[in-house]
Amino acid sequence: MPKPRSPHRPRTLAPIPYVSGVEYDVLDDLLGYSLRRAQVAMFMAFHEATRGEDITPPRFTSLVVIGANPGLTQSALGEVLGIARSGAKMLVDWMQARLLVERRRPDGDSRAWGLHLTRAGERFVRGMKRRVSSKDRARASRLSAAERRELLRLLAKLAG
Amino acid sequence: MPKPRSPHRPRTLAPIPYVSGVEYDVLDDLLGYSLRRAQVAMFMAFHEATRGEDITPPRFTSLVVIGANPGLTQSALGEVLGIARSGAKMLVDWMQARLLVERRRPDGDSRAWGLHLTRAGERFVRGMKRRVSSKDRARASRLSAAERRELLRLLAKLAG
DNA sequence: TATTGTTATACTCTATAACTATA
DNA sequence: TATAGTTATAGAGTATAACAATA
């Protein structure tokens, strides 16, 4: 019955609340559940840091990785992100449409695209890195510096 | 051009690899990125633990929370999960279709549904809790018991 | 008026599989 | 044959907005 209407906010994601009076049972002891809650909290920090820019975590990661690895191919980008080639293409299309990234044919393989930041892309990534890192640390100010380092260490050990 | 064909695996989610030779720049120092990697790793553990059962993290969480809070309403379930009421309804439809959950009108409010596990639901949740907890701990065996506790503490502090 | 649940719809993300061009 | 990229399509998950029934 409802007519199609207005667009979604691109990514809302409220914090996952601890609802008072609700018993969480085994969830409180699962790393998976705790990780999910923490990740949503950090995603919100990311969202605040990038407010006004139509950027998402995969887009941000792509830009950073291309900046640090000029000439990276789309396939390699997909591998880094853990997504399929078709998804990597769409990300690159977006970055190219925003004039942040250029596709150049690398010497010696005319099937592939080498990805490079444009001047605007470099400037943009520099600013975003600053804003995202700053918010990430602001959120982590609930932890001491030692705790933050320890958390990074434990997460790497778990994921590795 | 491609003809529509075969279905998706419901949730594949490969680990996010560290691609050798690739420079990760600022990502290595972002809690948000590390959390994402760890969360994908733990999601894979969940997926293994629940292999053969058509279950997902929100479904598992729903069943556990309903089991621990009999009579919970759909709205409250949505709040716990951090999703909209319409999404909570679909989850409950799924659980009810599998005869794991019953909707009962609570005394005093005939708008709401009180959610209750069926006998089969209780049995099912008991088994899933065992399997998921076991896999969660197996994955965490990369950490010492003290490290695991510390990680849970730090995550709660970060998300809280 | 506000809340619970329901319905219909829309959008994002990412997967699959087939295709083309090149290696 | 294998790989890089492209295209078309499918599906999961979740949001929005309006509605009916009840509070």
Side-chain angles (χ1 to χ4, degrees):
Chain A
M1 271 79 172
K3 289 166 301 183
R5 219 165 323 273
S6 81
H8 296 224
R9 283 172 285 168
R11 279 180 152 281
T12 312
L13 221 39
I16 301 181
Y18 255 113
V19 180
S20 73
V22 169
E23 175 58 56
Y24 283 77
D25 194 11
V26 72
L27 299 177
D28 282 325
D29 193 49
L30 290 176
L31 278 174
Y33 189 72
S34 297
L35 280 166
R36 169 79 183 139
R37 299 181 73 94
Q39 205 230 323
V40 168
M42 290 310 293
F43 174 71
M44 290 177 58
F46 177 91
H47 194 248
E48 286 164 32
T50 58
R51 194 182 301 293
E53 312 288 345
D54 184 21
I55 197 122
T56 62
R59 288 173 184 174
F60 174 76
T61 301
S62 297
L63 289 166
V64 169
V65 171
I66 291 167
N69 304 270
L72 195 79
T73 64
Q74 286 185 193
S75 290
L77 177 63
E79 196 189 350
V80 169
L81 296 172
I83 63 174
R85 295 196 304 280
S86 54
K89 180 210 187 279
M90 302 213 323
L91 280 169
V92 175
D93 285 348
W94 179 87
M95 295 185 282
Q96 189 177 48
R98 298 256 178 331
L99 305 179
L100 301 173
V101 160
E102 278 175 7
R103 287 171 159 111
R104 301 192 205 143
R105 286 292 181 204
D107 295 347
D109 192 339
S110 46
R111 294 173 302 182
W113 289 119
L115 304 174
H116 300 265
L117 294 184
T118 61
R119 295 287 275 283
E122 283 173 11
R123 199 162 42 241
F124 182 76
V125 175
R126 200 152 44 232
M128 283 302 114
K129 285 204 286 197
R130 211 165 18 230
R131 284 161 63 175
V132 169
S133 295
S134 164
K135 266 288 178 198
D136 194 273
R137 283 183 174 276
R139 179 75 196 194
S141 67
R142 297 148 175 270
L143 312 180
S144 72
E147 283 177 330
R148 181 178 186 283
R149 276 194 304 278
E150 178 68 355
L151 180 52
L152 279 171
R153 187 183 75 80
L154 294 172
L155 290 171
K157 202 167 170 185
L158 189 67
Chain B
M1 272 85 172
K3 290 166 301 185
R5 217 165 322 274
S6 81
H8 297 223
R9 283 172 285 169
R11 278 178 152 283
T12 312
L13 221 39
I16 302 181
Y18 256 112
V19 181
S20 73
V22 168
E23 175 59 57
Y24 282 77
D25 193 10
V26 72
L27 299 175
D28 283 325
D29 193 48
L30 290 176
L31 277 174
Y33 189 72
S34 297
L35 280 166
R36 170 78 183 140
R37 299 181 75 94
Q39 205 230 322
V40 169
M42 291 310 294
F43 173 72
M44 289 178 59
F46 176 90
H47 194 248
E48 286 164 33
T50 58
R51 194 182 302 290
E53 310 289 345
D54 184 23
I55 197 127
T56 61
R59 288 174 183 173
F60 174 76
T61 301
S62 298
L63 289 166
V64 169
V65 171
I66 292 166
N69 304 270
L72 196 77
T73 64
Q74 286 185 192
S75 290
L77 177 62
E79 195 188 352
V80 169
L81 296 173
I83 63 173
R85 294 195 305 280
S86 53
K89 179 209 186 279
M90 301 212 326
L91 279 168
V92 175
D93 285 347
W94 179 87
M95 295 184 284
Q96 189 177 48
R98 298 254 178 332
L99 306 179
L100 301 172
V101 160
E102 278 176 6
R103 288 170 159 113
R104 301 192 205 140
R105 285 293 181 204
D107 296 347
D109 191 341
S110 44
R111 295 171 302 180
W113 290 118
L115 304 174
H116 300 265
L117 293 184
T118 61
R119 295 288 274 282
E122 282 173 12
R123 197 160 45 241
F124 181 76
V125 175
R126 200 152 46 232
M128 284 300 114
K129 286 203 287 196
R130 210 162 22 228
R131 283 161 64 175
V132 169
S133 295
S134 165
K135 266 288 176 196
D136 194 273
R137 283 182 174 277
R139 178 76 197 192
S141 67
R142 298 147 175 269
L143 311 180
S144 72
E147 283 177 328
R148 182 178 185 281
R149 276 194 305 278
E150 178 67 356
L151 180 52
L152 279 172
R153 187 184 74 81
L154 294 173
L155 289 172
K157 202 167 168 184
L158 189 66

